[in-house]
Every structure is written in C-alpha cells, then in structure tokens.
Amino acid sequence: MILYVFLLWLSAIGLVLVVELCLMALKARPEVLPQEGAGALSGPDPLLVSRTGQTGSLILLALVLGLALGYLTESRLQPVRRLYLQLQSRYPSWYRRWPALYRELLLALGLGAMLQLPAGLTVLLAPRLWPVVVLSLSLSAGILIPVVWRLRGTLSEDRPEQPPKAVVHHFQPKYDLRTALWIGQIYLRILLPVFSLFCILTLPLALGYLNLGLTDTLLVLIALLAGSGLGWWANADSHFSLESFRSNLLQLGALVLLAAGFLILGLASGNVLLILSLGLFSGFLAGVY
C-alpha cells in the first residue's frame, strides 16, 4: 500500500508539472520595469529573464510531452513489438546476425534514429521550430521505456534465483505493530505531501518565476507541516483502494493542483501572513487524501 500511494503521488506531481509547463509555455513571464537609480542597473535584464524562462518552459514541455507520447505509443500500439514479431517469423539473413537478446532493443534504437531525420530537416528549413528536436528525442526515449522493461523482465526470468545479499535485506527493525503503523502514517500523511509540494515548486523556482529566501522557506515548511498534520487529523482514514487507480489519481491530482495553486499564490505575494495562511491551507488540502 505504501508503494501504491507513492506511485499515486508521483503521478499527481506529474500532472501538476504538466499543467505548470503548459501555463509557462503559453504565457511569458511579465516584464518588470527597471526602477530609477543606480541599483536598478546592477540587476538582471527583465527581458532576458523572460526569454530564458519561456525557452526553458518550451524545452521541458516538449520533453514531457515526447516521453508521454512515446510511452503511450509503444504501450498501446506497440510498433516496435509488432515489427519484432514479424521479423522473428520471417527471420531474414541480416536479422540473424543481431544478438538474439537485444534485437527488440536495437529495433527501438533504429526507430528512434529514423525519427530524428524529419526533425533535423524541419529545423534546417525553419530554425524557429527547434523544440521539434527535443520532442523527437524525448519521443524516442519514451518508446524505449516499455522495450527496456520487457528486456529487464526477460533478463530477470533467465537469471537464477539467489538469496538477497544486500545489507538492507538483513536489517530487521524490532518495532511493535503500533509503532510501525505510526511511522508509516507520518511518512504517508505528513512527509510525503510536504515533499511533493516542494517538488512542484522546483519549476517556478528554477525558471525564475518565484524567489524563495531562507525566511520564506522556513515559513512555508512550518505552514505545510502544520497544514498536513491538520489534514491528517481531519481525515484520519484514507479512502484509497488498489482497485480504483484512476479515480484515486483524479482525486489526488485535483487536491494537489489546488494546493500548488494556493501555495504559489502565497509565495508570489511576498506577504508573511499570506505565505503562512495559504501554506497552511495548501498543506491541509494535500493532507486530506
């Protein structure tokens, strides 16, 4: 169940990051007029910061969309798998020279290389369409993900079973059942929501849309921890079930999207009271799942 909730949070973070990328790519950062005085000349160029943020948003958006499209294409339509099965049935002479274990992987790499040809030609004809190269590269990487997973399954099936040799496998903490449940609940209901909300702030912070100092970081951390604790107290029992992944993901994604919106609004205001109140509310929303 812990791994299931962690997977839900990763998926919800991905949904929120895609929404942030779309908003950043469609809307450039507003330019700030320089103030009078010598101090304004020492700061960065607002136009340069705006162009840099928009360029980074386009790159990240093309990367995420390419990975998602490539993964869904190979998972649903399976072009590489179908080509591999056709070649396995025909078994031409040039195909026999390939290593038997890595034939599907080589086909996926060849398909990815073929996708780069139209992308490179498009950029040569229209240099402004340079995000097509990032999209084609990420599309090829997304196609590779299911192929690598299938290869890993084949390797694990052929590998003889051995007892675990890692030290962590032999470490058995002597907790009673109540203590173990409390540790798991603290991780799931407090630490995981706070960490996820901080992960959502990485894009606005990295692209210069937000500035977070030490004082603001401490205030946000305190507010998020308190808010997630209140959310845990208000909704002690989680209603997630292993049989309904889609509904759980939509519910958690909506909560995290609202929590991220209120948190970013509080940080963008720069007001201490708003940071504390909106951070507390966003932590509460993230903790009631």
Side-chain angles (χ1 to χ4, degrees):
M1 189 64 183
I2 292 179
L3 293 178
Y4 175 73
V5 176
F6 183 70
L7 178 61
L8 280 177
W9 272 103
L10 286 181
S11 304
I13 292 173
L15 290 176
V16 178
L17 290 180
V18 168
V19 173
E20 289 183 354
L21 286 173
C22 294
L23 293 176
M24 292 176 186
L26 294 176
K27 183 177 180 181
R29 187 169 181 254
E31 300 180 7
V32 181
L33 296 177
Q35 299 177 357
E36 297 181 356
L41 300 178
S42 60
D45 188 4
L47 184 59
L48 179 61
V49 174
S50 176
R51 291 177 179 176
T52 304
Q54 190 175 12
T55 302
S57 302
L58 288 174
I59 292 175
L60 291 174
L61 180 60
L63 181 63
V64 173
L65 287 179
L67 287 173
L69 288 176
Y71 175 77
L72 291 175
T73 300
E74 182 57 32
S75 299
R76 302 294 182 181
L77 302 178
Q78 296 184 347
V80 177
R81 187 66 178 177
R82 292 181 178 180
L83 180 61
Y84 169 74
L85 294 177
Q86 290 179 1
L87 290 175
Q88 284 289 110
S89 61
R90 296 177 182 177
Y91 214 63
S93 58
W94 58 269
Y95 184 71
R96 301 173 191 173
R97 303 187 185 96
W98 293 8
L101 188 60
Y102 302 102
R103 286 171 181 171
E104 188 177 3
L105 180 62
L106 292 176
L107 288 175
L109 291 174
L111 179 61
M114 292 177 59
L115 290 176
Q116 309 313 313
L117 297 178
L121 183 61
T122 303
V123 174
L124 288 177
L125 297 177
R128 293 183 179 180
L129 300 178
W130 58 265
V132 176
V133 177
V134 182
L135 183 63
S136 62
L137 289 173
S138 59
L139 183 64
S140 304
I143 292 176
L144 277 174
I145 293 175
V147 178
V148 172
W149 280 356
R150 288 194 290 264
L151 177 61
R152 181 183 178 185
T154 304
L155 293 174
S156 62
E157 290 175 358
D158 295 339
R159 184 181 305 167
E161 295 184 0
Q162 295 180 356
K165 298 180 180 179
V167 178
V168 68
H169 292 149
H170 300 283
F171 177 70
Q172 297 179 358
K174 297 180 180 179
Y175 295 139
D176 57 352
L177 181 58
R178 184 178 181 84
T179 304
L181 289 176
W182 270 100
I183 292 175
Q185 286 293 313
I186 290 174
Y187 165 73
L188 290 175
R189 305 305 298 270
I190 295 181
L191 298 181
L192 186 59
V194 174
F195 173 75
S196 301
L197 289 178
F198 268 101
C199 289
I200 292 172
L201 294 178
T202 53
L203 277 180
L205 290 174
L207 298 178
Y209 287 83
L210 289 177
N211 294 320
L212 194 60
L214 179 60
T215 304
D216 296 337
T217 304
L218 292 176
L219 290 176
V220 170
L221 182 60
I222 294 172
L224 290 179
L225 289 174
S228 60
L230 289 176
W232 180 21
W233 176 76
N235 187 20
D237 298 329
S238 178
H239 301 289
F240 285 166
S241 61
L242 298 174
E243 292 78 13
S244 55
F245 178 81
R246 180 176 298 179
S247 60
N248 293 337
L249 178 59
L250 293 177
Q251 174 189 351
L252 185 59
L255 287 175
V256 177
L257 186 62
L258 288 175
F262 283 112
L263 182 60
I264 293 175
L265 180 61
L267 291 174
S269 67
N271 193 314
V272 176
L273 294 178
L274 284 178
I275 292 175
L276 284 174
S277 59
L278 293 181
L280 184 68
F281 186 59
S282 62
F284 177 80
L285 288 177
V288 296
Y289 69 90

